[in-house]
Amino acid sequence: MNDMLDERLQGLAAAQAPVALDGLEARVLGAIAERRTGTRMAGYAAAAALGVGIASAALPPRAAVAAPPAPLLGESALAPSALLLE
């Protein structure tokens, strides 16, 4: 049984490697580098978003001021009746 296995392994060692395997290592390492770059950029974006969120939470809130009700009463300078007079 070991003789048959040894013969098959010797046959595999003597066989030529397929052409499709040429440059396989470079393609794999290139794909890994691309994924690392994408992951790194996503990390930078997440850190920036976290920084903006913390900074906006640290700012003191401003009081809300209601707009004057003039547009509802028709006294606005942009009302259609006021624009027709000009």
Side-chain angles (χ1 to χ4, degrees), residues 20-37:
L21 294 178
D22 290 343
L24 177 66
E25 183 178 0
R27 291 192 309 261
V28 168
L29 291 176
I32 290 171
E34 286 178 18
R35 285 189 181 200
R36 283 186 180 170
T37 302

Side-chain angles (χ1 to χ4, degrees), residues 73-85:
L73 300 176
E75 298 174 8
S76 173
L78 297 177
S81 58
L83 293 175
L84 290 175
L85 296 176

